[in-house]
Amino acid sequence: MLTLQNASVMRGRMLTLDDVSLSLAAGRTLAVVGESGAGKSTLIAAVLGLVKLHRGRIAWNDAPVATIRPALVMQEPRAAFNPALNLRRSVMEPLTARRLTPDPVRLARFCDGLELPRDLLDRRPDQVSIGQAQRVGILRALIAAPPLVLFDEPLSALDAVTQKHTARLIAQLQAEEGFAALIVTHDLGYAAAYADDIAVLRAGRLQEVQPAHAFIAAPQTEYGHTLRDAAFALGALEHVA
Ligand SMILES: Nc1ncnc2c1ncn2[C@@H]1O[C@H](COP(=O)(O)OP(=O)(O)OP(=O)(O)O)[C@@H](O)[C@H]1O
Ligand SMILES: [Mg+2]
């Protein structure tokens, strides 16, 4: 289980994460929603240990999160890869870094599950579509079977049809692999459709955390209402409400 206890991050003189306490159980999905600048990427950086905590602690079952080697799926699929390497080299990196050899059966199963043609991994990042690159990013994240995968706006670089498709593939793989997913998104429709719990972040502070359906039915805070109502107005919640 991932736990954040009173986690705060200071950037310059500003707390970009301010006293945030959250938990995510093994195999479950937590969506952190909030507008641009809310501190969503900061939260991910803090979980990955890429920024120092000003206060509080973040742990996986009382051990430092780094011990379980969490994986990250980034917003910009192509930027996630070394442009000079073929995708296979990048995908294998989490294994080769630990001197592990890939299991070809597992790799083939992932390629099929993510609808990636067998030869696609022999191309460079600029030789695949953005949607394919994002699915390769997901493949790389899962290859070493991490118990925790962090997704920073995993759908926002994709068109609407590809978003729906990719969201379904992520959920399918999660059901098969059993990893815990921390999904940071400004897309409340996605959060509501796939997350167990929704946490609302604003200006670095946690506003509320609720089971997803409870949040959509009845946000507990004024800001939660504003977000929920805006998503309804956009039609983003039609399929979940
Ligand atoms: N390296 C940095 N140095 C100083 N301030 C930073 C740095 N990175 C982010 N910030 C500030 O921290 C706050 C939170 O930024 P963050 O990137 O976490 O937001 P976000 O919720 O991920 O936004 P977006 O939806 O646009 O990605 C913002 O006010 C931002 O300006
Ligand atoms: Mg961000």
Side-chain angles (χ1 to χ4, degrees):
M1 164 137 124
L2 175 72
T3 43
L4 287 81
Q5 279 174 352
N6 309 106
S8 299
V9 171
M10 182 89 100
R11 276 174 156 156
R13 287 168 153 195
M14 206 174 81
L15 282 171
T16 55
L17 205 63
D18 188 356
D19 203 29
V20 170
S21 298
L22 277 174
S23 64
L24 167 60
R28 306 286 283 177
T29 303
L30 171 67
V32 177
V33 301
E35 64 196 69
S36 189
K40 304 184 299 294
S41 296
T42 302
L43 186 145
I44 283 190
V47 170
L48 290 172
L50 302 175
V51 293
K52 207 170 112 248
L53 288 185
H54 174 64
R55 269 192 70 219
R57 61 190 291 270
I58 301 181
W60 178 271
N61 296 342
D62 292 325
V65 178
T67 57
I68 57 154
R69 301 173 190 265
L72 172 65
V73 175
M74 302 205 290
Q75 176 170 4
E76 288 300 329
R78 288 203 185 111
F81 297 104
N82 183 332
L85 298 184
N86 72 24
L87 291 164
R88 189 179 304 278
R89 289 267 305 272
S90 295
V91 162
M92 296 307 170
E93 205 275 333
L95 293 174
T96 49
R98 293 154 70 181
R99 297 172 189 279
L100 298 172
T101 41
D103 170 356
V105 176
R106 182 174 164 81
L107 181 63
R109 192 167 55 76
F110 276 142
C111 284
D112 292 348
L114 287 162
E115 297 167 25
L116 295 166
R118 291 291 161 87
D119 71 330
L120 191 107
L121 296 182
D122 298 315
R123 300 187 210 158
R124 289 193 316 269
D126 64 337
Q127 295 169 325
V128 302
S129 75
I130 290 186
Q132 287 169 334
Q134 190 57 304
R135 299 206 296 283
V136 176
I138 294 164
L139 170 58
R140 177 173 60 182
L142 302 187
I143 193 90
L148 172 65
V149 183
L150 309 168
F151 296 86
D152 192 350
E153 299 278 8
L155 307 181
S156 62
L158 311 175
D159 65 74
V161 173
T162 312
Q163 281 182 347
K164 282 216 165 71
H165 181 214
T166 307
R168 268 200 307 274
L169 292 178
I170 292 173
Q172 259 166 35
L173 287 165
Q174 190 183 10
E176 290 165 18
E177 293 282 304
F179 54 86
L182 176 63
I183 301 177
V184 147
T185 180
H186 62 254
D187 182 347
L188 193 52
Y190 175 41
Y194 288 100
D196 298 303
D197 297 307
I198 293 181
V200 178
L201 200 62
R202 186 189 199 189
R205 296 194 69 99
L206 192 63
Q207 307 292 303
E208 62 178 288
V209 197
Q210 287 206 72
H213 55 88
F215 173 74
I216 298 306
Q220 290 167 339
T221 59
E222 198 181 326
Y223 183 67
H225 270 279
T226 306
L227 277 189
R228 195 270 315 257
D229 294 348
F232 263 119
L234 281 169
L237 295 174
E238 272 160 11
H239 55 297
V240 286

